[in-house]
Amino acid sequence: MHDDLITIARFESGMEAHEARIELDSRDIECVIAGETATDSVLPGGLGAGSVELLVRASDVARAVEVLRHTPAGRDLDPDLGTGMDEDVSPWFLATPEQLEAKVREWGDLAGDRLFIDHLTSYSGDHVYALTLSDFDVPREQKHAHYFAQPHAHEPGTTAGMMDVIEQLVTGKNLRGEPTSLDVDQVLAQTLLTFNPIGNPQGRAAAPVLCWDGADYTNDELWCWMRGEDPAMAGKMWQRLDLWDTREVTTPDPIGIVYEQIDEFRYVEPNRSHLSSYFKLFFQMDGMYAYECWLDLHQTEFVNSDRNCMMLLPIEGLATGDILATDRAWGQAICNAWSAAGYRPAPQPEHLGYTGTQANYFRRTWGPLHQRMNIVSTEVKNNAADAPAAFQLDAQGVAITRSIERLLG
Ligand SMILES: [Zn+2]
């Protein structure tokens, strides 16, 4: 077996594991059973779940789970794998505008003068929030100011990661009730942290799932939700444009959730046009706090790759000199933190690889910013059985936490 093995089920006895294996063998899905000997020979029966593990290749997880969920082994499958049969993640995977609104109210009550809540109102009537945490008794010039944002409605793990870190900074615990690893008082005394957890609430609210865990949609279907289905080609996603006008193009129906409507006729992809709420809010907040660094959070499907996360530097040439060197060191620190957490990152940060039209969008919208401040982006695996909700949240959380720690003296 050449790619990584993932534990998909835990059984109380080797017998149950073998029954599951027979099911998988009959469909040519290779698997490995681990932990069997100790269980059966020393303590037959009576052991808690988790004694015998069934592992398959990462690339076979979705198929194996689909096979086993219809057999007696279904009840022993790892609930984090996501297959429509998993636990309800909505108490801690917070990614919808409603979930954000509820938390903003709660945090506003809990955090007192350590949280400033700014927002602008999008054309759709949604609030796009900038949540700023700091010890405001400490003057700005004695602190590092860091911006965190996400532009893409189909990448909810980015929001969930930000929500989890904000919860830690407000309550000292994450959304699953575990204590934070951050020294919150030190963080707030030495930094000013602004989060825009949902850059395009209109798009996010139109998403068909809370978390893309690979159970309900293929990648092609996800991409048709993202940009809309091409009216000229069924089953294929539409164009990727920075700004478009319904009077000038034949549009998908429904319109892809990646786009934000900015007036009666026009739509933008948020991170490719300064007319988006995502960019307008940044410039508004930057006018107040003059950020030194911006972590932009993204997800991608890692098709034909055994990686599940990577760090992106600006398109080659946009950041130079000391700024690029710092971008690179910062990205490397996140890659290392991901490796330490057991994820499978690309070993080094890489330049965003766009050419042609997409590169031109980025040069125009991001070029001046890259010459002034440090900006890097995460990419965490989306829409796969081996990228469950907890992984998506935690991988973004590790990147955010490492970015904050980088600034502490
Ligand atoms: Zn993205």
Side-chain angles (χ1 to χ4, degrees):
M1 289 199 178
H2 55 276
D3 61 357
D4 286 355
L5 294 175
I6 308 276
T7 298
I8 60 163
R10 294 181 177 82
F11 301 96
E12 290 181 14
S13 77
M15 177 85 76
E16 294 168 87
H18 278 284
E19 285 166 5
R21 171 186 233 161
I22 289 165
E23 294 287 339
L24 296 180
D25 281 348
S26 72
R27 287 158 175 91
D28 292 326
I29 300 171
E30 286 183 69
C31 63
V32 170
I33 292 173
E36 175 181 18
T37 309
T39 307
D40 286 347
S41 61
V42 182
L43 292 166
L47 274 186
S51 308
V52 184
E53 298 190 348
L54 182 69
L55 302 92
V56 301
R57 289 176 181 160
S59 53
D60 285 335
V61 167
R63 269 200 320 139
V65 168
E66 188 56 33
V67 167
L68 293 179
R69 63 188 290 195
H70 301 300
T71 73
R75 65 176 184 275
D76 298 302
L77 289 169
D78 184 337
D80 284 344
L81 286 172
T83 52
M85 59 181 303
D86 51 350
E87 64 167 313
D88 176 13
V89 303
S90 64
W92 47 264
F93 189 95
L94 305 184
T96 70
E98 293 76 21
Q99 290 174 320
L100 173 58
E101 294 281 352
K103 270 295 173 185
V104 166
R105 285 192 293 275
E106 184 185 319
W107 289 332
D109 291 339
L110 290 173
D113 57 9
R114 292 177 142 200
L115 170 64
F116 277 28
I117 301 169
D118 293 276
H119 75 269
L120 56 74
T121 304
S122 64
Y123 177 76
S124 61
D126 293 294
H127 287 180
V128 185
Y129 285 102
L131 306 176
T132 303
L133 287 140
S134 191
D135 178 346
F136 287 94
D137 291 336
V138 179
R140 164 67 184 91
E141 56 274 18
Q142 293 176 22
K143 297 184 284 197
H144 296 290
H146 198 316
Y147 199 74
F148 298 87
Q150 73 83 233
H152 287 149
H154 62 287
E155 297 167 4
T158 59
T159 300
M162 281 191 268
M163 298 294 280
D164 200 56
V165 174
I166 298 168
E167 176 81 4
Q168 293 174 46
L169 294 170
V170 172
T171 72
K173 292 181 178 173
N174 69 18
L175 288 162
R176 286 159 290 179
E178 300 153 347
T180 182
S181 63
L182 291 166
D183 180 336
V184 173
D185 288 338
Q186 183 195 19
V187 167
L188 298 186
Q190 297 187 8
T191 67
L192 180 148
L193 309 171
T194 298
F195 298 86
N196 171 2
I198 305 182
N200 175 8
Q202 176 191 31
R204 180 62 58 71
V209 291
L210 174 63
C211 173
W212 297 91
D213 62 7
D216 301 309
Y217 296 96
T218 65
N219 284 335
D220 278 318
E221 289 166 342
L222 161 59
W223 298 331
C224 284
W225 276 99
M226 169 179 65
R227 281 191 229 157
E229 185 176 7
D230 190 333
M233 217 184 312
K236 292 293 164 197
M237 64 180 156
W238 195 55
Q239 307 170 70
R240 176 162 233 173
L241 299 171
D242 58 342
L243 168 69
W244 51 274
D245 188 314
T246 54
R247 294 165 297 189
E248 294 165 2
V249 290
T250 306
T251 62
D253 179 20
I255 283 164
I257 64 175
V258 81
Y259 292 113
E260 179 192 7
Q261 188 171 9
I262 57 165
D263 59 30
E264 188 180 354
F265 300 110
R266 293 186 302 164
Y267 290 74
V268 294
E269 181 168 347
N271 65 334
R272 284 159 170 76
S273 168
H274 286 179
L275 297 174
S276 64
S277 297
Y278 158 89
F279 263 120
K280 283 184 185 169
L281 185 60
F282 169 75
F283 286 117
Q284 179 182 315
M285 299 306 297
D286 190 49
M288 282 194 273
Y289 297 126
Y291 299 100
E292 301 149 53
C293 36
W294 177 342
L295 182 68
D296 212 42
L297 303 169
H298 291 262
Q299 294 187 258
T300 192
E301 290 70 40
F302 286 94
V303 175
N304 299 325
S305 167
D306 60 357
R307 305 296 179 190
N308 60 11
C309 44
M310 72 181 298
M311 287 304 299
L312 289 175
L313 302 169
I315 289 177
E316 202 149 13
L318 294 189
T320 53
D322 289 346
I323 290 181
L324 178 59
T326 300
D327 288 350
R328 197 181 289 283
W330 174 18
Q332 188 65 60
I334 294 174
C335 291
N336 296 349
W338 277 335
S339 289
Y343 305 143
R344 306 191 302 274
Q348 283 118 28
E350 294 170 18
H351 288 286
L352 182 60
Y354 284 128
T355 56
T357 305
Q358 297 301 321
N360 287 336
Y361 295 159
F362 274 83
R363 285 193 192 96
R364 199 183 58 238
T365 46
W366 291 92
L369 288 170
H370 285 312
Q371 303 201 355
R372 193 207 94 190
M373 64 191 291
N374 294 110
I375 304 172
V376 296
S377 299
T378 65
E379 292 284 2
V380 169
K381 191 166 183 176
N382 203 12
N383 203 46
D386 68 341
F391 160 76
Q392 296 183 32
L393 183 162
D394 286 333
Q396 300 288 2
V398 165
I400 296 166
T401 302
R402 189 67 196 85
S403 298
I404 294 171
E405 290 168 345
R406 183 180 74 93
L407 300 179
L408 301 180

